Amino acid sequence: MPARVQLDPFDLGTELSGFGTGAGAVVTFTGLVRDEDGRLVALEIEHYPGMTEKALQAFGDKAAERFGLSDWKIIHRHGRLEPGEQIMMVATASRHRAAAFEGAEYLMDWLKSRAPFWKREITPDGPGEWVEAIQSDEDALSRW
Amino acid sequence: MPARVQLDPFDLGTELSGFGTGAGAVVTFTGLVRDEDGRLVALEIEHYPGMTEKALQAFGDKAAERFGLSDWKIIHRHGRLEPGEQIMMVATASRHRAAAFEGAEYLMDWLKSRAPFWKREITPDGPGEWVEAIQSDEDALSRW
Amino acid sequence: MVVDVLYFAWLRERIGQPREKVETEAATVRELVAQLSAMDDWHASALSDLSAVRVAVDQELADLDAPIAGAREIAFFPPMTGG
Amino acid sequence: MVVDVLYFAWLRERIGQPREKVETEAATVRELVAQLSAMDDWHASALSDLSAVRVAVDQELADLDAPIAGAREIAFFPPMTGG
């Protein structure tokens, strides 16, 4: 399955081994937990099992068709993630670089506000509020 | 050195180990040798030792300043590369995804037509003509 | 009909459970919300500001006026913040 | 002065060597090209269509009217095709 949701970390080199064979251009995006100047103990990510996988698969298929991707992959983690840990990755492969870049940006824009994930910050004081969606992520979708 | 020119392949996982620590977003681009429907035996890449490293370093520094990248890396191979092999990679790290994507696209657009590399295709008939620069690569630069 | 109603993130916390079975005659999501809100203060509070709530019907994003006839699973959650 | 003149890709092949030392009084790249073109048919042929030739003076991209006083290394090559 090119779309996965998992607790465990992933290894980018392993994930990309054999990825995009025959393509000329591979783009990856990896999201990492920032430490927010030491304020953050961990990020907690919740998702909607069942719907998440379906949504990621649908985004990937749509991106593949729209941008002519020969290959794509999405991995998103859930659970408790500490600063510096990977949150997620997308990878796209295409004959030309513009399509691979656009496909990856499109997938990221969709993921940010249309895939059923929610996160909250855990600080030394305990779990904080759930992170609110930001308008710029919603706006980013309007370009597609 | 964040900019390298080398004969040997590179491992993306190894190259990205520790890359962008503290950043939220890492983007990579990897260029691979296409097999051109089996017509291609290998790609031969020539470069200008000395100038190449300086040019890559200058591009990277410029991109870091312009897009607020916290980290960047460019690796470009030379010599004889067979279909499926990596040609080059760029990686960018930033606090936010838009800057990481833009930085990587900027670096690619510059690399394509301003870094002193030249390539030619080797087919079953032997070395072919040197690949000509294409107008779309020149045009891509005008957006920056 | 009986539907599974799911809650995520702060909706789950305010309502105090991740899912429940609900017997309903509601024709739309909006009618189901009215029924849930009438159940107790926790539901009423969690569902009071619908501009902050997103809905999925059978694991597909839907709006408040979406019909729910035949649906098996209806989920309420905040705007998504993946990536 | 004496400068190192370097050639890459098809310019290297047509001229038949990757580099040579050239004694020159040229003030600009364009004057150096004229001097090189007068040396023999290979140089003349390689440098005949300057729209297809790029230049670096001391490893920095330059144009044909760039001054070369004090330069140590001047390179001629086709438009670049990296990536």
Side-chain angles (χ1 to χ4, degrees), chain B residues 54-131:
Chain B
K54 281 170 56 177
L56 299 185
Q57 184 72 42
F59 297 160
D61 287 342
K62 211 185 301 181
E65 189 182 342
R66 177 162 175 177
F67 301 100
L69 306 179
S70 59
D71 213 349
W72 62 271
K73 182 175 268 200
I74 304 173
I75 302 174
H76 203 301
R77 296 175 66 195
H78 66 104
R80 182 190 163 99
L81 305 176
E82 300 190 355
E85 283 197 79
Q86 307 149 324
I87 303 172
M88 48 74 61
M89 66 161 283
V90 309
T92 54
S94 185
R95 189 167 166 79
H96 296 294
R97 72 185 186 284
F101 272 119
E102 283 189 314
E105 290 179 73
Y106 172 91
L107 284 176
M108 285 309 303
D109 286 346
W110 279 93
L111 267 171
K112 282 272 172 186
S113 40
R114 291 293 183 274
F117 290 99
W118 304 275
K119 56 191 167 201
R120 65 172 157 188
E121 298 186 345
I122 299 172
T123 67
D125 299 329
E129 294 298 308
W130 291 87
V131 173

Side-chain angles (χ1 to χ4, degrees), chain B residues 15-32:
Chain B
E15 296 300 337
L16 294 181
S17 167
F19 180 84
T21 303
V26 171
V27 168
T28 72
F29 178 91
T30 309
L32 304 170

Side-chain angles (χ1 to χ4, degrees), chain A residues 47-104:
Chain A
H47 79 114
Y48 183 170
M51 176 171 169
T52 316
E53 293 80 354
K54 281 168 57 176
L56 300 185
Q57 183 73 43
F59 298 160
D61 288 344
K62 211 186 299 181
E65 189 183 341
R66 177 161 174 178
F67 301 101
L69 306 179
S70 59
D71 214 347
W72 61 271
K73 181 175 271 200
I74 303 173
I75 302 174
H76 203 303
R77 295 175 68 195
H78 65 104
R80 182 189 163 98
L81 305 176
E82 299 190 356
E85 283 198 80
Q86 308 150 326
I87 304 171
M88 47 75 61
M89 67 161 280
V90 308
T92 54
S94 184
R95 189 168 166 79
H96 297 292
R97 74 186 184 283
F101 272 118
E102 283 190 312

